[in-house]
């Protein structure tokens, strides 16, 4: 009986550890992976890259997000982030890694993907985000959100920081070119 009780307690502890690991890797608001978990997964993906094997990276920034929070309140901003997370998830494969990088910025790592495929997915996300009507008050008024997206291929010579810097530059090119765009670097 003691052995059985001990095994039951160990199973309970394992379950609790899995829950803690999930909590440590997840952004509470969006349910997406957090920055720390994304970095670990991106480092693992970089270590797997071989000649001829490509993976892609996308950085997404929601346009004028501060204005949304200022004009409509943080609860609306939270709904925008949650809506974005849902839309982006619907465009991705199970192996793709989507994370909230910070504030209104999101990163996607897409293993076994060409640059053209990453660009196509990014364009699909951009388009679907722009189509969303997000209700922001009791009267049912809605707002639309757009996203600026930078895309690049991962390279075995890159560090994760190098890759993120490159995709960040592409995202800022999209913003400078008028926002609601996908730019490749």
């Amino acid at each position: 009986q003691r052995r059985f009780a001990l095994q039951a307690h160990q199973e309970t502890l394992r379950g609790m550890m899995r829950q803690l690991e999930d909590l440590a890797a997840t952004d509470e608001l969006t349910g997406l992976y957090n920055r720390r978990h994304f970095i670990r997964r991106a480092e693992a993906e970089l270590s797997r890259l071989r000649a001829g094997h490509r993976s892609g990276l996308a950085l997404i920034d929601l346009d004028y997000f501060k204005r949304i929070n200022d004009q409509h309140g943080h609860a609306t901003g939270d709904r925008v982030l949650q809506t974005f997370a849902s839309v982006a998830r619907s465009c991705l494969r199970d192996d793709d890694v989507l994370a909230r990088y910070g504030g209104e910025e999101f990163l996607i790592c897409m293993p076994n993907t060409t640059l053209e495929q990453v660009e196509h997915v990014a364009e699909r996300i951009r388009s679907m985000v722009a189509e969303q009507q997000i209700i922001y008050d009791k009267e049912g008024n809605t707002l639309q959100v757009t996203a600026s997206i930078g895309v690049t291929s991962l390279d075995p010579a890159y560090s994760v920081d190098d890759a993120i810097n490159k995709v960040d530059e592409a995202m800022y090119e999209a913003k400078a070119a008028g926002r609601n765009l996908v730019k490749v670097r």
Side-chain angles (χ1 to χ4, degrees):
Q1 283 183 336
R2 285 185 187 176
R3 187 180 315 170
F4 179 73
L6 181 60
Q7 287 174 339
H9 287 301
Q10 287 175 333
E11 231 5 82
T12 300
L13 286 173
R14 281 189 203 101
M16 292 171 77
M17 288 298 292
R18 281 191 296 276
Q19 286 178 324
L20 284 172
E21 288 169 2
D22 288 345
L23 287 171
T26 305
D27 173 65
E28 183 179 359
L29 178 65
T30 61
L32 301 177
Y33 290 121
N34 62 27
R35 179 184 198 138
R36 180 177 52 247
H37 183 78
F38 181 88
I39 298 297
R40 277 186 287 172
R41 293 282 301 268
E43 286 170 345
E45 184 60 26
L46 276 171
S47 71
R48 280 192 291 269
L49 291 179
R50 304 283 185 264
H53 172 89
R54 289 307 229 179
S55 292
L57 188 68
L59 175 63
I60 303 162
D61 185 83
L62 301 180
D63 297 327
Y64 303 112
F65 186 76
K66 182 179 180 333
R67 185 184 304 167
I68 292 168
N69 274 337
D70 291 347
Q71 291 179 353
H72 304 290
H74 290 278
T76 298
D78 288 351
R79 269 195 305 283
V80 167
L81 296 172
Q82 291 164 336
T83 299
F84 168 81
S86 177
V87 168
R89 255 193 234 113
S90 74
C91 297
L92 300 174
R93 306 167 299 180
D94 290 341
D95 290 345
D96 298 334
V97 181
L98 172 61
R100 184 172 178 197
Y101 190 59
E104 73 280 4
E105 289 186 332
F106 300 85
L107 277 166
I108 303 170
C109 182
M110 299 180 68
N112 305 311
T113 308
T114 66
L115 183 59
E116 294 77 23
Q117 290 169 323
V118 178
E119 182 181 13
H120 176 76
V121 170
E123 181 57 38
R124 187 165 159 221
I125 291 170
R126 186 210 58 77
S127 157
M128 288 180 68
V129 166
E131 292 172 5
Q132 300 301 305
Q133 298 290 322
I134 300 167
I135 297 172
Y136 66 86
D137 65 12
K138 293 177 184 174
E139 288 78 39
N141 291 309
T142 62
L143 61 91
Q144 285 183 281
V145 177
T146 60
S148 297
I149 305 175
V151 171
T152 195
S153 285
L154 292 180
D155 185 294
Y158 292 169
S159 70
V160 171
D161 286 341
D162 293 338
I164 291 173
N165 286 337
K166 188 172 179 183
V167 80
D168 190 51
E169 291 170 4
M171 186 269 299
Y172 274 104
E173 287 175 16
K175 288 201 173 289
R179 300 179 193 264
N180 194 27
L181 296 168
V182 175
K183 289 291 184 176
V184 177
R185 204 158 229 249

